[in-house]
Amino acid sequence: MEPYQIIKQPLITEKGMRLNEEGSTVVFRVDARANKLQIKHAVEVLFHVKVLKVNTLNVEGKKRRIRYREGKRPDWKKAYVTLRDGDSITFFEGV
C-alpha cells in the first residue's frame, strides 16, 4: 500500500498532544489492514523522521441508535508512533 493510503489522519486529542510534548510520541488514525512495519515506513517517508517504535490498537466502533433503528460506526485502527530524540512532527505551527 502507498504511504498516503496507510496514514489516514493525525488524532488531535488532549492525550495525543500531551504525549507529543512529553515523549515525542505521535498518534495517527491508520488503515485497519496495515501492520506495524508498513506504518513505520509510511511515517518515515511522509514526515522525514526516524521511528523507534509503533504500538497499534483496534478501536471498536460505537453502537448508535436513531429512533427505532440501531446501527454501528465502523471499526478503526489507532497507531502510537514513538520518534527518535530530536525528531518531531508539528501539526500546528505558530499557534
Side-chain angles (χ1 to χ4, degrees):
M1 289 197 295
E2 294 293 322
Y4 287 107
Q5 294 174 338
I6 294 173
I7 305 296
K8 300 286 185 188
Q9 66 188 35
L11 288 177
I12 310 298
T13 60
E14 289 182 17
K15 179 180 178 181
M17 297 305 284
R18 183 174 44 85
L19 287 172
N20 192 2
E21 292 170 1
E22 291 175 358
S24 68
T25 300
V26 187
V27 185
F28 291 103
R29 185 176 188 156
V30 296
D31 190 278
R33 299 167 294 177
N35 60 31
K36 291 182 181 185
L37 293 175
Q38 291 173 331
I39 295 168
K40 177 181 178 179
H41 176 69
V43 170
E44 288 179 347
V45 168
L46 292 176
F47 298 103
H48 306 292
V49 294
K50 178 68 177 162
V51 174
L52 297 179
K53 182 171 66 169
V54 176
N55 293 333
T56 60
L57 61 111
N58 291 313
V59 180
E60 188 175 340
K62 294 181 179 181
K63 293 182 180 179
R64 294 291 182 199
R65 182 183 168 116
I66 299 174
R67 290 194 69 131
Y68 304 111
R69 297 183 184 203
E70 292 184 358
K72 181 177 166 292
R73 290 189 176 173
D75 299 339
W76 54 285
K77 190 177 223 178
K78 185 191 300 190
Y80 291 92
V81 179
T82 304
L83 305 176
R84 176 178 58 186
D85 288 338
D87 287 347
S88 65
I89 299 174
T90 55
F91 299 113
F92 302 113
E93 294 183 24
V95 175

